[in-house]
């Protein structure tokens, strides 16, 4: 599990719309470990540790054992990767491992080049109209490929992370696809 937070790029508030909260992944981590998986939280820089009482969860990002070699080893040998879309997820993708991208933005950057990838996007909420935007509306506002937080603010669009339940459900769907050996 790789979750980008403000420690990743804290001097660039222009891209903070891509950050997420690791706490939204606790339900999914517990779901995966209940299915027999070992879960590693990845990341070279993170804001806070995630202290879960779970023998199958390793907060590798904060436990002092992290190395670039082990990052690559884990990425090359994982069953699949869950990521919010930042640099680390390229490693499992290179190894042809499945990647589940959650709380992903911008929507126009979806990984259409990989048949082993699933996405769920951050919710785009129009503050003035008080409604969630469709993908078509996101592109009509010129936000489909926007890489700057200010673009969203100027257009009055708030990005909302996926809920713990949405992340768990997407993970469940990924496991079903992998179990059935179907292309995504």
């Amino acid at each position: 599990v790789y979750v980008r937070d403000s420690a990743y790029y804290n001097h660039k508030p222009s891209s903070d719309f891509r950050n997420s909260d690791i706490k939204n992944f606790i339900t999914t981590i517990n779901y995966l470990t209940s299915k027999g998986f070992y879960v590693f939280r990845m990341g070279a820089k993170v804001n806070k540790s995630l202290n879960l009482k779970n023998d199958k969860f390793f907060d590798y990002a904060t436990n002092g054992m992290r190395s670039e070699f082990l990052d690559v080893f884990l990425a090359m040998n994982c069953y699949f990767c869950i990521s919010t879309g930042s640099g680390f997820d390229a490693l499992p993708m290179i190894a042809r491992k499945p990647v589940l991208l959650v709380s992903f933005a911008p929507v126009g950057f979806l990984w259409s080049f990989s048949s082993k990838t699933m996405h769920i996007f951050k919710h785009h909420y129009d503050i003035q109209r008080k409604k969630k935007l469709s993908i078509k509306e996101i592109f009509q506002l010129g936000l489909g490929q926007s890489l700057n937080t200010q673009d969203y603010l100027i257009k009055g669009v708030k990005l909302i992370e996926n809920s713990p339940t949405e992340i768990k459900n997407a993970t469940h769907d990924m496991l079903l696809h992998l179990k059935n050996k179907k292309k995504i």
Side-chain angles (χ1 to χ4, degrees), residues 71-89:
D71 285 355
V72 173
F73 177 83
L74 290 169
M76 298 296 150
N77 291 286
C78 68
Y79 186 64
F80 77 103
C81 173
I82 301 171
S83 176
T84 56
S86 201
F88 172 79
D89 44 42

Side-chain angles (χ1 to χ4, degrees), residues 69-161:
F69 173 81
L70 199 48
D71 285 355
V72 173
F73 177 83
L74 290 169
M76 298 296 150
N77 291 286
C78 68
Y79 186 64
F80 77 103
C81 173
I82 301 171
S83 176
T84 56
S86 201
F88 172 79
D89 44 42
L91 291 173
M93 190 267 308
I94 289 168
R96 295 185 173 95
K97 300 295 182 178
V99 177
L100 172 60
L101 294 158
V102 301
S103 282
F104 189 78
V107 298
F109 279 40
L110 84 145
W111 293 15
S112 61
F113 54 83
S114 173
S115 63
K116 293 186 173 192
T117 303
M118 290 175 60
H119 298 76
I120 57 173
F121 302 107
K122 282 192 174 183
H123 302 283
H124 291 60
Y125 185 78
D126 186 311
I127 297 167
Q128 186 176 7
R129 296 188 293 163
K130 295 182 171 70
K131 71 172 224 143
K132 183 180 166 189
L133 298 174
S134 68
I135 291 177
K136 180 179 179 181
E137 291 170 318
I138 293 166
F139 276 95
Q140 286 173 339
L141 285 172
L143 297 174
Q145 296 181 325
S146 179
L147 290 171
N148 193 316
T149 300
Q150 291 301 314
D151 295 340
Y152 297 93
L153 295 173
I154 289 167
K155 302 280 181 155
V157 174
K158 178 180 179 181
L159 293 178
I160 302 169
E161 294 180 47

Side-chain angles (χ1 to χ4, degrees), residues 6 14 16 23 34 39 43-44 57 70-71 75 134 142 146 149 161 169:
S6 64
S14 62
D16 63 1
K23 289 180 183 176
S34 76
V39 178
F57 170 72
L70 199 48
D71 285 355
S134 68
S146 179
T149 300
E161 294 180 47
N169 289 345

